[in-house]
């Protein structure tokens, strides 16, 4: 029996046989050709077929995973139709008289290396997406059959170098009991999709995963990142007991559906869910969440062939607001950075995450701003609306945003269009906003902390870079101090604070956030009941004392030890 260790990326325990997934990328060789026009036609035919395949994958992902996770396929379609890549491939075929496969392979390698050499998350992800897309096109050109993972009809645990978004979206949880990869981290596309599908996953295991032989019996614990190969009966029994406990815990969690989110000593908070489109509402309702804490509107734009009209947006916002009696937080357009549009070319930037995006873009594109702001204010008459504006860095920006909403509200009133009551808040994801949180709280009705970006900007870390991923530290005292400062600043002005990043759904940080008095947790629907149950076991007054200790700590390791010790003393298991 061998044991392996990796990064637990999606919780759950599974026992099944190994299914080795080797990506059979064709061996591309350079060939001199005489009929370049035939090769160009072959290239375009492959692009057409790949577009059809990716659109099919997108539709399946929309049904299984929701709009937010399916949006990665919009990026893939954008790569397929990228005019610069297309120009270079066709030019290479015509000028060098080479085969289409070689031309595409050579050009895509240049693009991948260019993006990999740039030190920011968007470029890193872009390189992986280019590999996924171009490999598909190459297989079509070369006549290599693309593996259909939907055909798996027996219980297996997939072993792979990595799983692409197109592969992960095909997995059927009935048969695929988990997957284990050589590379990757908790924030990779495959890990995020696995959590949505509720499939156990362990990533970043290293090359030893390929020492596992096909059909070997595997035990995997996605919580702890542990793998056992051909285990003995004793270990199997131990894992089965662990699995039984997890299933029992899930049954208990179901008893918290549609209940209030209340601590052991009677303190009440809200647990809301994140969505990417109106199609995700069913998941929210099934989870019993306290409303919607983040509706990411950019997916309305990414799923469209042109700027969505005011009327199209109004219908989407109205539908979401009417779906629940609870509050709905809708975030204004957060385009740019890692989110691109097929119908708009953003200027090239070395650091797009730090550049022309979100509200910075809208304030300079009033036509786009007006359409969305008008749609939001019209929809406010149909439910409890809170509007959340991303990437606000200065008080001047906050004042400009408030001015725009006031202007549009007056316009609508003159037109005789009803505008309901609404709250106007901001995303706290830039360190400058935290530093001036006490000032922002005078102008904003609420704060919503985007911890993913806040941590990234605080530590100057590219969280998609394996080389520095250790610096992405949600438990670091620097992160926790920023959260405490933001919450305290809002409370001093009688306002409220939510967290809508990954931190909100992290069980180990729940007692700290309770101790800080967080007003609203917003997370994936699949995590709602787990966190609600956990909050019911926490005494807020005692958690406040834990907060004092973690804020005084020096390192993330020290913080984790303090929380683990506290939870053990209180008899709280996660």
């Amino acid at each position: 029996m061998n044991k392996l260790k990796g990064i637990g990326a999606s919780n759950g325990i599974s026992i099944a046989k190994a299914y080795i997934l080797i990506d059979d990328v064709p061996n591309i060789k350079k060939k001199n050709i005489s009929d370049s026009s035939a090769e160009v036609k072959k290239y375009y035919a492959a692009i057409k077929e790949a577009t059809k395949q990716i659109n099919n994958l997108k539709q399946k992902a929309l049904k299984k995973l929701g709009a937010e996770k399916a949006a990665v396929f919009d990026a893939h379609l954008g790569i397929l139709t990228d005019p610069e890549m297309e120009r270079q491939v066709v030019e290479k075929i015509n000028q060098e008289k080479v085969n289409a496969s070689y031309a595409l392979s050579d050009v895509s390698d240049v693009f991948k290396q260019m993006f990999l050499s740039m030190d920011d998350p968007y470029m890193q992800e872009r390189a992986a997406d280019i590999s996924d897309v171009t490999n598909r096109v190459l297989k079509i050109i070369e006549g290599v059959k693309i593996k259909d993972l939907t055909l798996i009809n027996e219980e297996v645990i997939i072993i792979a170098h990595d799983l692409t978004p197109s592969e992960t979206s095909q997995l059927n949880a009935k048969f695929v009991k988990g997957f284990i990869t050589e590379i990757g981290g908790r924030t990779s596309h495959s890990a995020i999709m696995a959590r949505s599908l509720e499939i156990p996953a362990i990533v970043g295991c290293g090359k030893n995963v390929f020492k596992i032989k096909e059909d070997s019996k595997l035990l995997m614990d996605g919580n702890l990142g542990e793998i056992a190969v051909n285990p003995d009966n004793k270990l199997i029994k131990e894992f089965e007991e662990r699995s039984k406990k997890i299933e029992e815990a899930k049954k208990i969690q179901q008893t918290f559906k549609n209940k209030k989110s209340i601590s052991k000593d009677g303190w009440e908070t809200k647990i809301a869910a994140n969505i990417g489109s109106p199609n995700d509402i069913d998941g929210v309702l099934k989870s019993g969440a306290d409303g919607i804490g983040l509706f990411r509107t950019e997916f309305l734009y990414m799923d469209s062939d042109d700027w969505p009209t005011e009327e199209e947006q109004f219908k989407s916002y109205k539908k979401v607001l009417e779906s629940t009696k609870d509050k709905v937080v809708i975030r204004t357009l957060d385009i740019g950075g890692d989110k691109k549009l097929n119908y708009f070319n953003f200027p090239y930037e070395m650091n797009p995450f730090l550049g022309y995006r979100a509200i910075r873009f809208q304030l300079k594109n009033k036509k786009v701003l007006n359409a969305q702001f008008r749609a939001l204010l019209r929809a406010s008459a149909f439910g409890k609306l809170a509007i959340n504006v991303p990437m606000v860095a200065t008080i001047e920006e906050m004042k400009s945003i408030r001015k725009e909403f006031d202007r549009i509200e007056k316009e609508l009133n003159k037109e005789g269009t009803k505008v309901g009551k609404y709250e106007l808040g901001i995303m706290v994801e830039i360190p400058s906003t935290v530093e001036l949180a006490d000032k922002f709280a005078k102008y904003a009705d609420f704060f919503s902390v985007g911890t993913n970006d806040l941590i990234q900007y605080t530590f100057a870390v590219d969280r998609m870079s394996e080389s520095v991923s250790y610096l992405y530290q949600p438990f670091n005292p620097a992160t926790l101090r920023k959260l405490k400062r933001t919450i305290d600043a809002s409370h001093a002005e009688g306002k409220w604070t939510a967290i809508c990043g990954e931190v909100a759904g992290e069980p180990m940080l729940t007692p700290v956030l309770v101790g800080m008095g967080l007003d609203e947790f917003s997370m994936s629907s699949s995590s709602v009941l787990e966190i609600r149950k956990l909050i019911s076991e926490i005494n807020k007054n005692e958690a406040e004392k834990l907060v004092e200790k973690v804020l005084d700590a020096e390192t993330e390791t020290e913080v984790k030890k303090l929380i683990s010790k506290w939870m053990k003393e209180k008899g709280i298991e996660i």
Side-chain angles (χ1 to χ4, degrees), residues 36 39-44 47 79-80 82-109 111 134 137-138 141:
S36 58
E39 289 298 308
V40 171
K41 285 180 182 177
K42 192 185 293 185
Y43 166 67
Y44 280 125
I47 292 292
I79 292 167
L80 274 178
D82 183 89
E84 183 58 23
M85 184 178 283
E86 177 189 334
R87 183 190 67 77
Q88 290 191 32
V89 172
V90 173
E91 191 174 90
K92 196 171 191 71
I93 294 170
N94 287 326
Q95 292 184 1
E96 299 182 24
K97 301 293 181 184
V98 293
N99 51 315
S101 296
Y102 177 78
L104 174 59
S105 179
D106 195 53
V107 170
S108 68
D109 282 346
F111 273 73
T134 54
V137 179
L138 289 171
I141 295 173

Side-chain angles (χ1 to χ4, degrees), residues 14 43 139 162 198 254 293 298 330 355 363 467 472 542:
S14 291
Y43 166 67
K139 287 175 185 177
D162 192 14
E198 296 187 34
Q254 284 298 317
E298 56 269 20
I330 300 181
L363 286 172
S467 302
Y472 184 78
E542 292 174 353

Side-chain angles (χ1 to χ4, degrees), residues 160-291:
H161 169 70
D162 192 14
L163 280 184
T164 64
S166 56
E167 289 168 336
T168 311
S169 68
Q170 296 178 51
L171 303 184
N172 182 345
K174 181 180 177 181
F175 298 115
V176 178
K177 310 314 289 183
F179 66 79
I180 300 165
T181 63
E182 177 187 348
I183 65 168
R186 277 189 61 84
T187 56
S188 65
H189 283 315
S190 57
I192 293 168
M193 284 186 172
R195 292 195 286 275
S196 292
L197 291 166
E198 296 187 34
I199 292 175
I202 301 174
V203 299
C205 299
K207 296 188 181 297
N208 284 335
V209 292
F210 289 109
K211 290 181 181 179
I212 298 172
K213 294 180 179 178
E214 185 87 14
D215 293 337
S216 298
K217 191 167 189 176
L218 300 179
L219 296 181
M220 66 176 291
D221 186 333
N223 304 52
L224 303 177
E226 294 177 351
I227 306 149
V229 185
N230 295 321
D232 55 28
N233 290 333
K234 183 182 176 183
L235 192 60
I236 290 173
K237 190 173 181 181
E238 183 185 316
F239 266 66
E240 285 175 341
E241 285 298 316
R242 277 200 230 170
S243 182
K244 189 178 177 182
K245 283 185 178 179
I246 290 172
E247 289 305 311
E248 287 172 354
K250 284 183 178 178
K251 287 180 182 177
I252 294 170
Q253 287 168 16
Q254 284 298 317
T255 65
F256 284 82
K257 185 176 178 179
N258 297 321
K259 288 188 177 180
K260 290 185 177 181
S261 305
I262 302 176
S263 70
K264 196 173 181 179
D265 54 344
W267 171 79
E268 187 173 346
T269 186
K270 297 285 184 184
I271 302 182
N274 300 338
I275 67 170
S277 88
N279 296 329
D280 300 337
I281 292 169
D282 285 346
V284 176
L285 298 176
K286 286 176 184 176
S287 73
D290 300 318

Side-chain angles (χ1 to χ4, degrees), residues 32 110 171 187 341 355 402 470 512 545:
N32 293 319
V110 172
L171 303 184
T187 56
L341 300 173
R402 179 69 75 178
Y470 71 96
V512 175
K545 295 172 185 175

Side-chain angles (χ1 to χ4, degrees), residues 366 369-370 403-411:
K366 291 297 176 67
L369 180 149
N370 284 341
K403 188 176 179 181
E404 293 293 342
F405 274 103
D406 288 344
R407 172 181 64 81
I408 290 171
E409 186 173 355
K410 287 175 184 175
E411 284 179 4

